[in-house]
Amino acid sequence: MSIFTLHTGTAPLLVSLPHDGSEIPPDIAARLVPAARRAPDTDWHVSRLYAFARELGASVLVPRYSRYVIDLNRPSDDVSLYPGQNTTGLCPTVQFNGEPVYLPGQEPDAAEIAQRLQTYWKPYHEALQQELARLRAAHGRAVLWDGHSIRSVVPFLFEGRLPDFNVGTAGGASCSPALQARLQAVLAAQSDYSHVVNGRFKGGHITRHYGRPAEGVQAVQLELAQLNYMDEDSFAYLPQRAEPTAALIRRLLEAALEV
């Protein structure tokens, strides 16, 4: 069973898109409420938005399955990444709108969650670790860019409208001060998109766990407001809106690659 696709590149850059997958196995889908079967909380089209990354020589890791099967950006022990705030878990039972994912009594038990960890979570993270190790061996360093997107307004998770570009570096712990400063400079040099660094989204498990600047691996998460490249209601990709957004992401990745 194919859990993910990995394009191996030539630059010291790995783009991970852990919530791009939207497929839900039939046996799980049958237990979901009708609205959840659409996988509405998918990071829609981010692999299309990041298609240019291959031109930069980046490796690109993309999962097949929805975060409703398992959330690849959560720790395996399901400890909350944002204590005291509303969030969703390793095998989410609540949608981003606060509604249930599962029909009553159909939520996964501990044994099923453990099985999903083995089947879906571990292979993705093993691939991520191995690719980072390959890049470090080849270049002496690696940058891990964790690409995400989310609806611009999600009252269950945050107040008001989310900034367009939300950069997370685990409060500065997952990358060097110089890298973070370069990213901030790119965002400050433009006026088309609002932005914040280490705001509501400081980086999930992938950024926090793999970002080890002292060991030659720097990690950054970008949470992008979806209205900058798609229609948030129909999930339709909007090429004219996406093109300038992708161009700014490209400038960020180029800055991340600088030594």
Side-chain angles (χ1 to χ4, degrees):
M1 179 171 58
S2 173
I3 304 300
F4 58 83
T5 59
L6 172 63
H7 167 78
T8 55
T10 56
L13 174 63
L14 171 58
V15 175
S16 165
L17 306 174
H19 296 150
D20 181 82
S22 59
E23 187 170 333
I24 302 173
D27 61 318
I28 297 176
R31 295 155 52 196
L32 305 188
V33 299
R37 293 171 194 163
R38 300 178 69 209
D41 299 329
T42 300
D43 292 9
W44 294 107
H45 312 296
V46 289
S47 57
R48 181 174 179 180
L49 191 67
Y50 278 86
F52 70 86
R54 298 189 182 198
E55 299 171 11
L56 300 180
S59 297
V60 183
L61 181 62
V62 183
R64 172 180 174 182
Y65 291 96
S66 166
R67 72 192 308 156
Y68 285 174
V69 178
I70 198 161
D71 192 329
L72 299 168
N73 200 30
R74 294 292 183 273
S76 58
D77 61 7
D78 205 16
V79 170
S80 177
L81 297 170
Y82 297 97
Q85 301 182 58
N86 283 343
T87 186
T88 55
L90 181 65
C91 289
T93 57
V94 179
Q95 301 176 53
F96 283 177
N97 62 7
E99 296 296 317
V101 171
Y102 290 88
L103 296 166
Q106 296 297 311
E107 300 85 353
D109 60 17
E112 182 177 354
I113 292 171
Q115 181 270 324
R116 292 191 199 180
L117 272 169
Q118 291 295 320
T119 303
Y120 304 101
W121 193 95
K122 284 191 67 177
Y124 189 88
H125 282 267
E126 287 170 355
L128 197 159
Q129 291 174 318
Q130 290 168 8
E131 185 60 11
L132 286 176
R134 184 186 74 83
L135 295 177
R136 278 189 62 205
H139 303 279
R141 67 187 182 102
V143 175
L144 170 60
W145 188 274
D146 214 42
H148 296 260
S149 74
I150 192 170
R151 292 177 68 95
S152 57
V153 177
V154 185
F156 180 70
L157 297 180
F158 51 83
E159 294 182 4
R161 184 191 181 283
L162 195 68
D164 297 318
F165 280 67
N166 302 265
V167 174
T169 65
S174 66
C175 73
S176 69
L179 191 157
Q180 181 170 310
R182 292 198 301 272
L183 299 178
Q184 288 176 305
V186 169
L187 292 169
Q190 58 79 45
S191 58
D192 294 325
Y193 301 93
S194 59
H195 64 276
V196 67
V197 177
N198 292 314
R200 170 62 177 84
F201 296 98
K202 296 177 173 61
H205 172 69
I206 290 173
T207 304
R208 302 184 198 193
H209 180 73
Y210 295 103
R212 300 175 183 178
E215 298 175 22
V217 178
Q218 305 199 71
V220 176
Q221 175 176 299
L222 174 61
E223 189 78 62
L224 182 70
Q226 289 178 338
L227 53 69
N228 292 291
Y229 70 94
M230 60 174 274
D231 182 275
E232 294 184 336
D233 295 321
S234 69
F235 307 152
Y237 191 79
L238 302 176
Q240 288 186 322
R241 193 177 295 180
E243 185 176 347
T245 303
L248 180 54
I249 298 173
R250 181 175 187 138
R251 294 200 292 276
L252 289 170
L253 292 186
E254 290 171 341
L257 277 170
E258 294 177 15
V259 178

